Amino acid sequence: MTINDIKNLLEARLLTGEKMLDHEVHTACGSDMMSDVLAFVKDQAVLLTGLMNPQVIRTAEMMDIICIVFVRGKTPDDAVVSLAEEMNIAILSTDLRMFEACGRLYTNGLGGHTK
């Protein structure tokens, strides 16, 4: 599944990462707790979260997460978007709640981590 596919499935707005829309995403993680994200097995993943601070971007960069989707209509401030641009991480925002956003991705073939 590509980042563009995710954007379309979640009816999301692209905030940064136009050049990354064709990148493949292999797994997904939905969490507002960065400690849970750090325990997540990464591999070209997308993170769905409602947490909007620079730590989300820094955690994503450490875990090789290439796309972050902010749920519940949340839009991060310019500093967070700029940091994501620097780290080459695509940022999307959807009005969907995390449960529905994760469900849409899962029912369209994107799974969680594999061991």
Side-chain angles (χ1 to χ4, degrees):
M1 180 177 295
T2 66
I3 292 173
N4 195 52
D5 294 332
I6 292 168
K7 178 183 170 289
N8 293 333
L9 282 169
L10 301 183
E11 303 169 33
R13 297 169 299 286
L14 179 68
L15 304 179
T16 189
E18 295 84 8
K19 295 178 182 176
M20 298 189 63
L21 288 174
D22 291 331
H23 280 66
E24 289 284 329
V25 174
H26 304 292
T27 57
C29 174
S31 182
D32 287 342
M33 295 180 58
M34 292 303 102
S35 58
D36 286 348
V37 175
L38 289 170
F40 175 67
V41 176
K42 74 282 181 195
D43 178 22
Q44 300 292 302
V46 59
L47 169 63
L48 294 93
T49 188
L51 189 61
M52 296 188 315
N53 62 40
Q55 187 61 30
V56 172
I57 306 301
R58 296 184 197 292
T59 301
E61 195 270 334
M62 281 178 28
M63 302 305 292
D64 297 325
I65 291 170
I66 62 169
C67 180
I68 299 171
V69 178
F70 291 102
V71 296
R72 300 186 302 274
K74 293 188 173 189
T75 304
D77 64 28
D78 291 340
V80 172
V81 174
S82 293
L83 185 58
E85 286 174 354
E86 288 175 30
M87 296 185 176
N88 206 28
I89 297 170
I91 300 291
L92 303 173
S93 176
T94 181
D95 291 332
L96 301 175
R97 294 180 182 264
M98 190 179 313
F99 180 80
E100 184 173 353
C102 290
R104 284 189 187 189
L105 295 178
Y106 183 78
T107 58
N108 282 278
L110 190 61
H113 70 76
T114 57
K115 293 183 180 187

